[in-house]
């Protein structure tokens, strides 16, 4: 709607898939088969999106291009420090889930999945250790459908509404 400001910023990479010509060997998959996305809450009065999510996604993209290793649904990683270097935040890990609004598409050079990167705390990452990929995706969707990466938030395990959801998934109970 005209004049309405978004509740969050939505970042989407490009360059991990084939935009202009087919160069990878698999005719059914575009490039690495995914692009990364991230959603960050929009702060009150914020007119420009913050730069740190872009830098984070660029670093992940450089890792993929340099190592030739991709990310996939349910992948988790400990970053060894804040999700945004120099920022004070408890988010020191990440989880990858299919972007809930963009999903998977097929283009002229194959299919690709929009894979959303969500920042998590170290205790949340530890709580997901024994979950399979499906469990991670379901739990993340139940905790926050949009999968916002909010660097100002504390751990879900200290949140009275979200902690029971995490514990239920740890016990292997996917739905109430």
């Amino acid at each position: 709607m005209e004049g309405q400001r978004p509740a969050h910023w939505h970042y989407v990479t490009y360059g991990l898939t084939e935009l202009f010509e087919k160069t990878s060997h698999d005719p059914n998959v575009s490039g690495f088969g995914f692009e990364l996305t991230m959603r960050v809450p929009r702060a009150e009065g914020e007119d420009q999106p913050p730069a740190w999510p872009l830098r984070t996604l660029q670093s992940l993209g450089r890792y993929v291009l340099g190592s030739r290793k991709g990310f996939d649904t349910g992948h988790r990683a400990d970053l060894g420090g804040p999700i945004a270097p120099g920022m004070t935040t408890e988010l020191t890990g990440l989880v990858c889930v299919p972007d809930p609004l963009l999903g998977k598409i097929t283009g002229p050079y194959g299919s690709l999945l929009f894979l959303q990167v969500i920042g998590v705390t170290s205790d949340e990452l530890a709580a997901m250790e024994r979950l399979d990929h499906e469990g991670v995706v379901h739990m993340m969707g139940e905790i926050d459908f949009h999968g916002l990466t909010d660097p100002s938030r504390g751990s879900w395990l200290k949140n009275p509404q979200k902690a029971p959801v995490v514990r239920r998934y740890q016990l292997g109970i996917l739905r109430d």
Side-chain angles (χ1 to χ4, degrees):
M1 295 181 187
E2 193 171 324
Q4 188 176 23
R5 295 175 181 257
H8 62 265
W9 302 105
H10 192 187
Y11 298 80
V12 181
T13 65
Y14 68 93
L16 298 173
T17 56
E18 297 157 318
L19 299 173
F20 305 108
E21 66 178 315
K22 183 71 179 165
T23 57
S24 64
H25 68 287
D26 188 338
N28 299 315
V29 177
S30 179
F32 287 96
F34 67 92
E35 290 292 348
L36 300 171
T37 74
M38 183 182 282
R39 286 183 173 82
V40 177
R42 182 186 176 127
E44 185 68 34
E46 192 173 47
D47 291 327
Q48 294 294 316
W52 71 263
L54 179 62
R55 289 191 297 270
T56 299
L57 292 175
Q58 285 175 327
S59 293
L60 294 171
R62 278 193 297 276
Y63 167 79
V64 170
L65 293 171
S67 69
R68 310 302 293 170
K69 296 178 183 176
F71 295 107
D72 204 350
T73 298
H75 280 182
R76 302 159 286 239
D78 181 347
L79 300 174
I83 195 164
M87 181 182 283
T88 302
T89 180
E90 290 185 42
L91 304 183
T92 58
L94 60 86
V95 174
C96 297
V97 299
D99 188 293
L101 300 176
L102 299 180
K104 187 174 184 176
I105 63 169
T106 300
Y109 305 114
S111 67
L112 69 112
L113 175 66
F114 288 98
L115 199 58
Q116 185 168 353
V117 175
I118 303 171
V120 295
T121 64
S122 61
D123 63 342
E124 294 163 357
L125 197 60
M128 291 182 234
E129 195 172 289
R130 289 187 294 276
L131 296 180
D132 63 9
H133 295 335
E134 181 181 349
V136 170
V137 171
H138 286 292
M139 185 182 84
M140 297 303 289
E142 193 172 336
I143 286 177
D144 179 0
F145 174 78
H146 286 105
L148 296 179
T149 296
D150 183 351
S152 69
R153 77 168 177 83
S155 171
W156 294 323
L157 294 168
K158 296 175 185 166
N159 179 306
Q161 287 79 39
K162 296 182 181 188
V165 175
V166 175
R167 288 191 189 99
R168 185 166 35 81
Y169 278 88
Q170 283 182 297
L171 294 172
I173 305 167
L174 296 185
R175 295 279 180 208
D176 271 338

